Amino acid sequence: MNTADAANELGVSTKTVQRWVKQLQLPASRNELGHYFFTEDDIAILKEVKEQLKNGTPMQDVTVKRPKKTFFIKKNEMIQTKEPAPQMNERLEERLQRFLEHEQLERELLQKKIAELERKLEQKADDVVSYQLLQQRRELEEERQQIKHLEQKISELESMNRQEKDTAGRREEKKPKSKLKSIFSF
């Protein structure tokens, strides 16, 4: 079980569990990410620590019963234990199996988190694209309105121009042409 699970079982914070492990140099394993991984034996030791502290024992006076076996040692060295080999092998296999199960759970959790982040990223990308499309539509609509307004103004100006030409043409028709003027003009 991880630190949060251990803390929940003990009724303390995760920081408290981590502090106890460090200060009392308790035998807690770590996974490949460096997080603590507690066995049932580790939890029993932590419960003893909690009980001693609850009874008023100062941290420096807390005594911890160390396990009689050592599991993790350098490569090619013998494992020293007071247990008979078959029992030790069974315990090692159980611990390895729990570790592998824990590792599998962590892998599944990581995959779920990655999938969730990918989903959120895709949703954010969709939102951004949707916003950009709406913004472009608004801009296009504004440009259409401006074009309509300009077309209307041009139409009005052309109409006014035709009216002025018609008015000017009528004035010229109404003026009688003086014949004298044409004779004397050079």
Side-chain angles (χ1 to χ4, degrees):
M1 84 178 52
N2 63 21
T3 306
D5 294 336
N8 285 338
E9 188 165 326
L10 294 166
V12 297
S13 72
T14 55
K15 295 288 183 189
T16 300
V17 172
Q18 292 169 351
R19 188 176 66 247
W20 289 352
V21 170
K22 289 176 186 173
Q23 289 180 350
L24 299 172
Q25 298 176 352
L26 299 177
S29 303
R30 291 182 183 251
N31 64 16
E32 67 276 357
L33 299 174
H35 301 282
Y36 287 118
F37 179 74
F38 299 97
T39 64
E40 291 175 17
D41 294 337
D42 297 333
I43 297 299
I45 291 171
L46 289 170
K47 285 180 179 177
E48 288 178 27
V49 169
K50 181 182 176 187
E51 190 62 33
Q52 289 180 42
L53 293 171
K54 184 179 173 184
N55 291 333
T57 306
M59 181 63 86
Q60 62 270 16
D61 295 338
V62 170
T63 56
V64 178
K65 294 177 187 173
R66 304 282 176 190
K68 296 178 182 178
K69 56 192 179 297
T70 57
F71 283 113
F72 300 103
I73 54 174
K74 293 180 183 174
K75 243 183 182 179
N76 301 324
E77 287 186 14
M78 297 292 292
I79 296 178
Q80 297 176 1
T81 180
K82 292 183 179 181
E83 286 186 70
Q87 290 176 349
M88 182 187 70
N89 286 341
E90 284 179 23
R91 290 181 63 97
L92 279 173
E93 286 177 15
E94 287 175 12
R95 190 165 182 171
L96 178 61
Q97 186 61 35
R98 283 193 304 255
F99 177 76
L100 292 174
E101 289 171 1
H102 178 73
E103 187 177 319
Q104 180 64 30
L105 289 173
E106 282 186 348
R107 221 179 267 128
E108 289 172 4
L109 180 63
L110 186 60
Q111 288 173 348
K112 286 179 184 177
K113 285 182 180 179
I114 289 171
E116 178 66 18
L117 287 173
E118 286 175 345
R119 186 192 66 73
K120 286 181 180 179
L121 183 62
E122 288 174 3
Q123 180 64 40
K124 189 68 172 177
D126 288 347
D127 291 347
V128 168
V129 169
S130 296
Y131 175 80
Q132 288 174 339
L133 285 173
L134 289 172
Q135 187 66 26
Q136 287 177 345
R137 284 182 184 168
R138 274 186 236 131
E139 290 171 1
L140 284 173
E141 188 58 36
E142 287 174 5
E143 289 174 0
R144 282 188 192 123
Q145 293 298 328
Q146 288 176 349
I147 289 171
K148 279 184 182 179
H149 182 71
L150 289 173
E151 286 175 343
Q152 190 177 17
K153 286 286 186 187
I154 289 171
S155 232
E156 288 173 7
L157 289 173
E158 286 175 343
S159 176
M160 288 174 58
N161 194 12
R162 271 190 241 119
Q163 285 177 357
E164 286 178 6
K165 282 183 182 178
D166 289 346
T167 307
R170 284 187 208 139
R171 280 187 211 151
E172 286 181 14
E173 288 176 4
K174 290 181 181 177
K175 286 184 182 178
K177 290 188 179 175
S178 170
K179 294 184 180 179
L180 290 175
K181 196 175 187 184
S182 58
I183 297 174
F184 294 107
S185 52
F186 303 120

